[in-house]
Amino acid sequence: MNDNQNLFTALRAAFPAELDTVAIETGDGPGAPLCYTWRDLERATAMIANLLDSLELPRDGEHPPRVAVQTEKSVEALLLYLAVLRAGYVYLPLNTAYQQAEIEYFVGNAEPAVVVCSGKNFGWVSKIAFKAGTKHVFTLNDDRTGSLLERAALQSDRHVPAQRSASDLAAILYTSGTTGRSKGAMLTHGNLLSNALTLKDYWGWTDGDVLLHVLPIFHVHGLFVASHGALLNGSKMLWFSRFDPKAVTARLPEATVFMGVPTLYVRLLAEPGFGHEACRHMRLFIAGSAPLLIETFNEFRARTGHTILERYGMSETVMLSSNPYRAEDGERRGGTVGFPLPGVQLRVSDKQGRPCPAGEIGGIEVKGPNVFAGYWRMPEKTKEEFTADGWFRTGDVGKVGADGYVTIVGRSKDLIITGGYNVYPAEIEGYLNEMDGVAESAVIGVPHPDFGEGVVAVVVPKPGAAPEPAALIGALKGRIANFKVPKHLFVEATLPRNTMGKVQKNLLREQHKGLFGA
Ligand code: AMP
């Protein structure tokens, strides 16, 4: 029996016996379609792992060396991730949108032994890395060029995966930092593997599944949930480096599973060719990373006959809850994130840490084998985020209904306190989104001299509509308590979102902070 808890070993064990079948086929990017067999995955990860081993990277106290990666999405970037696991090092993906000041912070904070970047960024990235003490900087481009692959090509294609225990670090994911300084969430081999095994079963991964992969691979959703799901099932991936609704619609008939952030679903629905026909072989559409509007959920069902399965998770915990896959476990309910996953405990607590009764809103706390090992080099911050009895405070506000369904109301930092009253932005947004001519909205609190915070709404109109701020405010007045009604409402063409589709309320708060002259 092999008791190596290295995540790579588990993924490798799931490769099909027939290694010469296609594991990944590219749908876009240079040279597409390119096909990679399972044998290619086995050999390439061995060669890159051997290259990393040949560098004789020093261990850093209790942790293996870290490999920080900021490259465009490519199959080779995924192979690099798998090779880092295989060699037993710690993978540290960085959002491709990050600029110099951000990279300087991450590299300075994480002190990676190796940095891999796009060739076009080598000049400035290597300068930052060398200054921070990193000795090895490689390039990797999205067209299969760069020094990483050149050097790996000289290595043996055989490699014995490093022995790792479940508690050894596998990856550090920096949180998106929409509410403060980004923190490095330390995830272990055990965190990632336990979650992947749970999802394999809960989402009914089956023989013949094909995943259409469109998400970025610097984030928990695309890197872990999507990639691990397919690999652990020995399933082929149709690999897109970016989301193009037309191209995705064209290739969807070859797929059975799709994972997207809510904005991708909105964009698919705006694609005229998208509908029943394109989805004819689909088994499962999964959404997460940000709230899915109930309208999108309903429109998607009407257009395709498929009910999107919404799930909830975060960098620190991978996946926490999911709507049911199997009908016998319950319906997939729009506007909720379903039930805590098997093995995950989830509770809602009030400010004093007392359990909230069913249906009451409070802070969501979780426990389970998926919960991370703490924030990198932030022991104080880590301590703050765990309760005395060992539950992780997610920072999300929500409720658990009497029937067990979990609903997210927002981030605790987005909670508005006006004149001493709590206002949950999601409640007001829900009312606004149902109004004529409104596509979506964001409600924020900004400094107010009398009330502490004043409620402000930003509304995006539906195409061709021009809702009147005064009329929207008037309509709200009859329906909700006055203290919840926005004092100002702006109609804007779009909401600021990050690459994972999350509304960046911090930017809206910044933009409107002087509104009440506080
Ligand atoms: P990240 O660590 O970047 O994945 O962000 C995690 C956060 O995204 C969570 O703490 C939630 O606030 C939010 N999130 C993830 N999935 C959902 C969902 N289905 N509905 C609402 N918010 C979500």
mmCIF file of all heavy atoms in Angstrom, residues 176 219-220 288-291 310-315 337 396 408 411 502, ligand 1:
data_model
loop_
_atom_site.group_PDB
_atom_site.id
_atom_site.type_symbol
_atom_site.label_atom_id
_atom_site.label_comp_id
_atom_site.label_asym_id
_atom_site.label_seq_id
_atom_site.Cartn_x
_atom_site.Cartn_y
_atom_site.Cartn_z
ATOM 1 N N SER A 176 -8.076 37.558 -2.313
ATOM 2 C CA SER A 176 -8.184 38.632 -3.314
ATOM 3 C C SER A 176 -8.054 40.015 -2.686
ATOM 4 O O SER A 176 -7.822 40.992 -3.377
ATOM 5 C CB SER A 176 -9.462 38.491 -4.127
ATOM 6 O OG SER A 176 -10.553 38.295 -3.281
ATOM 7 N N HIS A 219 -6.632 30.739 -9.158
ATOM 8 C CA HIS A 219 -7.661 30.868 -8.134
ATOM 9 C C HIS A 219 -8.211 29.491 -7.769
ATOM 10 O O HIS A 219 -8.139 28.558 -8.567
ATOM 11 C CB HIS A 219 -8.769 31.775 -8.688
ATOM 12 C CG HIS A 219 -9.857 32.093 -7.723
ATOM 13 N ND1 HIS A 219 -11.022 31.374 -7.672
ATOM 14 C CD2 HIS A 219 -9.955 33.033 -6.756
ATOM 15 C CE1 HIS A 219 -11.789 31.872 -6.713
ATOM 16 N NE2 HIS A 219 -11.166 32.883 -6.147
ATOM 17 N N VAL A 220 -8.791 29.382 -6.579
ATOM 18 C CA VAL A 220 -9.304 28.117 -6.060
ATOM 19 C C VAL A 220 -10.294 27.450 -7.018
ATOM 20 O O VAL A 220 -10.288 26.221 -7.172
ATOM 21 C CB VAL A 220 -9.936 28.356 -4.651
ATOM 22 C CG1 VAL A 220 -10.988 29.431 -4.672
ATOM 23 C CG2 VAL A 220 -10.488 27.104 -4.046
ATOM 24 N N GLY A 288 -20.209 29.542 -8.865
ATOM 25 C CA GLY A 288 -19.731 29.956 -7.558
ATOM 26 C C GLY A 288 -18.718 31.060 -7.662
ATOM 27 O O GLY A 288 -18.469 31.580 -8.752
ATOM 28 N N SER A 289 -18.139 31.423 -6.524
ATOM 29 C CA SER A 289 -17.148 32.502 -6.356
ATOM 30 C C SER A 289 -17.803 33.847 -6.107
ATOM 31 O O SER A 289 -17.164 34.767 -5.617
ATOM 32 C CB SER A 289 -16.178 32.642 -7.531
ATOM 33 O OG SER A 289 -15.326 31.532 -7.582
ATOM 34 N N ALA A 290 -19.063 33.991 -6.478
ATOM 35 C CA ALA A 290 -19.809 35.222 -6.244
ATOM 36 C C ALA A 290 -21.289 34.832 -6.341
ATOM 37 O O ALA A 290 -21.607 33.776 -6.897
ATOM 38 C CB ALA A 290 -19.446 36.277 -7.288
ATOM 39 N N PRO A 291 -22.193 35.677 -5.794
ATOM 40 C CA PRO A 291 -23.601 35.272 -5.821
ATOM 41 C C PRO A 291 -24.183 35.228 -7.226
ATOM 42 O O PRO A 291 -23.946 36.126 -8.038
ATOM 43 C CB PRO A 291 -24.296 36.349 -4.983
ATOM 44 C CG PRO A 291 -23.285 37.369 -4.627
ATOM 45 C CD PRO A 291 -21.944 36.925 -5.085
ATOM 46 N N GLU A 310 -25.401 25.818 -7.567
ATOM 47 C CA GLU A 310 -24.549 26.847 -6.959
ATOM 48 C C GLU A 310 -23.889 26.302 -5.704
ATOM 49 O O GLU A 310 -24.520 25.629 -4.897
ATOM 50 C CB GLU A 310 -25.368 28.098 -6.612
ATOM 51 C CG GLU A 310 -24.471 29.212 -6.091
ATOM 52 C CD GLU A 310 -25.185 30.551 -5.918
ATOM 53 O OE1 GLU A 310 -26.387 30.630 -6.172
ATOM 54 O OE2 GLU A 310 -24.500 31.518 -5.516
ATOM 55 N N ARG A 311 -22.610 26.602 -5.586
ATOM 56 C CA ARG A 311 -21.849 26.157 -4.412
ATOM 57 C C ARG A 311 -21.099 27.329 -3.836
ATOM 58 O O ARG A 311 -20.983 28.387 -4.465
ATOM 59 C CB ARG A 311 -20.945 24.971 -4.795
ATOM 60 C CG ARG A 311 -19.534 25.333 -5.174
ATOM 61 C CD ARG A 311 -19.420 26.184 -6.425
ATOM 62 N NE ARG A 311 -18.089 26.590 -6.785
ATOM 63 C CZ ARG A 311 -17.376 27.567 -6.213
ATOM 64 N NH1 ARG A 311 -17.839 28.255 -5.235
ATOM 65 N NH2 ARG A 311 -16.172 27.869 -6.640
ATOM 66 N N TYR A 312 -20.560 27.123 -2.627
ATOM 67 C CA TYR A 312 -19.906 28.221 -1.895
ATOM 68 C C TYR A 312 -18.578 27.725 -1.336
ATOM 69 O O TYR A 312 -18.486 26.615 -0.830
ATOM 70 C CB TYR A 312 -20.859 28.681 -0.785
ATOM 71 C CG TYR A 312 -20.264 29.373 0.403
ATOM 72 C CD1 TYR A 312 -19.515 30.545 0.253
ATOM 73 C CD2 TYR A 312 -20.487 28.889 1.692
ATOM 74 C CE1 TYR A 312 -19.001 31.192 1.377
ATOM 75 C CE2 TYR A 312 -19.986 29.537 2.815
ATOM 76 C CZ TYR A 312 -19.237 30.691 2.652
ATOM 77 O OH TYR A 312 -18.733 31.332 3.757
ATOM 78 N N GLY A 313 -17.570 28.567 -1.482
ATOM 79 C CA GLY A 313 -16.267 28.213 -0.932
ATOM 80 C C GLY A 313 -15.384 29.429 -0.906
ATOM 81 O O GLY A 313 -15.810 30.535 -1.234
ATOM 82 N N MET A 314 -14.155 29.227 -0.496
ATOM 83 C CA MET A 314 -13.210 30.342 -0.447
ATOM 84 C C MET A 314 -11.783 29.810 -0.439
ATOM 85 O O MET A 314 -11.557 28.623 -0.218
ATOM 86 C CB MET A 314 -13.490 31.214 0.769
ATOM 87 C CG MET A 314 -13.404 30.506 2.099
ATOM 88 S SD MET A 314 -14.287 31.396 3.416
ATOM 89 C CE MET A 314 -13.539 33.004 3.290
ATOM 90 N N SER A 315 -10.822 30.711 -0.677
ATOM 91 C CA SER A 315 -9.421 30.288 -0.760
ATOM 92 C C SER A 315 -9.007 29.525 0.493
ATOM 93 O O SER A 315 -8.254 28.557 0.428
ATOM 94 C CB SER A 315 -8.497 31.493 -0.912
ATOM 95 O OG SER A 315 -8.867 32.251 -2.026
ATOM 96 N N VAL A 337 -26.835 28.512 -1.266
ATOM 97 C CA VAL A 337 -25.619 27.770 -1.636
ATOM 98 C C VAL A 337 -25.707 26.332 -1.129
ATOM 99 O O VAL A 337 -24.699 25.651 -0.981
ATOM 100 C CB VAL A 337 -24.341 28.482 -1.139
ATOM 101 C CG1 VAL A 337 -24.141 29.776 -1.908
ATOM 102 C CG2 VAL A 337 -24.392 28.751 0.364
ATOM 103 N N ASP A 396 -18.042 35.708 6.092
ATOM 104 C CA ASP A 396 -19.300 35.817 5.351
ATOM 105 C C ASP A 396 -20.451 35.848 6.339
ATOM 106 O O ASP A 396 -20.405 35.226 7.398
ATOM 107 C CB ASP A 396 -19.480 34.622 4.400
ATOM 108 C CG ASP A 396 -18.517 34.701 3.233
ATOM 109 O OD1 ASP A 396 -18.433 35.780 2.617
ATOM 110 O OD2 ASP A 396 -17.838 33.699 2.949
ATOM 111 N N ILE A 408 -26.104 33.018 1.683
ATOM 112 C CA ILE A 408 -25.083 34.030 1.988
ATOM 113 C C ILE A 408 -25.722 35.408 1.815
ATOM 114 O O ILE A 408 -26.373 35.664 0.797
ATOM 115 C CB ILE A 408 -23.892 33.950 0.999
ATOM 116 C CG1 ILE A 408 -23.376 32.521 0.833
ATOM 117 C CG2 ILE A 408 -22.771 34.915 1.397
ATOM 118 C CD1 ILE A 408 -22.557 32.016 1.933
ATOM 119 N N ARG A 411 -20.472 39.862 2.782
ATOM 120 C CA ARG A 411 -19.272 39.804 3.615
ATOM 121 C C ARG A 411 -19.530 40.626 4.882
ATOM 122 O O ARG A 411 -20.185 41.676 4.814
ATOM 123 C CB ARG A 411 -18.074 40.427 2.868
ATOM 124 C CG ARG A 411 -17.644 39.721 1.614
ATOM 125 C CD ARG A 411 -16.951 38.419 1.866
ATOM 126 N NE ARG A 411 -15.711 38.564 2.631
ATOM 127 C CZ ARG A 411 -15.114 37.529 3.238
ATOM 128 N NH1 ARG A 411 -15.651 36.323 3.189
ATOM 129 N NH2 ARG A 411 -13.984 37.706 3.894
ATOM 130 N N LYS A 502 -16.274 39.039 -8.750
ATOM 131 C CA LYS A 502 -16.748 39.621 -7.493
ATOM 132 C C LYS A 502 -16.843 41.134 -7.626
ATOM 133 O O LYS A 502 -15.901 41.767 -8.122
ATOM 134 C CB LYS A 502 -15.766 39.311 -6.362
ATOM 135 C CG LYS A 502 -15.753 37.884 -5.940
ATOM 136 C CD LYS A 502 -14.831 37.761 -4.737
ATOM 137 C CE LYS A 502 -14.063 36.464 -4.752
ATOM 138 N NZ LYS A 502 -14.877 35.283 -4.644
HETATM 139 P P1 AMP B 1 -12.145 33.658 -2.790
HETATM 140 O O1 AMP B 1 -11.309 33.341 -1.610
HETATM 141 O O2 AMP B 1 -11.529 34.640 -3.725
HETATM 142 O O3 AMP B 1 -12.601 32.410 -3.478
HETATM 143 O O4 AMP B 1 -13.458 34.374 -2.256
HETATM 144 C C1 AMP B 1 -14.300 33.700 -1.366
HETATM 145 C C2 AMP B 1 -15.532 34.499 -1.113
HETATM 146 O O5 AMP B 1 -16.351 34.545 -2.271
HETATM 147 C C3 AMP B 1 -16.410 33.885 -0.057
HETATM 148 O O6 AMP B 1 -15.958 34.159 1.240
HETATM 149 C C4 AMP B 1 -17.747 34.508 -0.374
HETATM 150 O O7 AMP B 1 -17.830 35.817 0.148
HETATM 151 C C5 AMP B 1 -17.709 34.599 -1.890
HETATM 152 N N1 AMP B 1 -18.448 33.496 -2.524
HETATM 153 C C6 AMP B 1 -17.978 32.338 -3.007
HETATM 154 N N2 AMP B 1 -18.971 31.584 -3.529
HETATM 155 C C7 AMP B 1 -20.111 32.298 -3.346
HETATM 156 C C8 AMP B 1 -21.492 32.084 -3.668
HETATM 157 N N3 AMP B 1 -21.900 30.990 -4.293
HETATM 158 N N4 AMP B 1 -22.365 33.055 -3.317
HETATM 159 C C9 AMP B 1 -21.977 34.168 -2.688
HETATM 160 N N5 AMP B 1 -20.699 34.440 -2.377
HETATM 161 C C10 AMP B 1 -19.779 33.516 -2.701
#
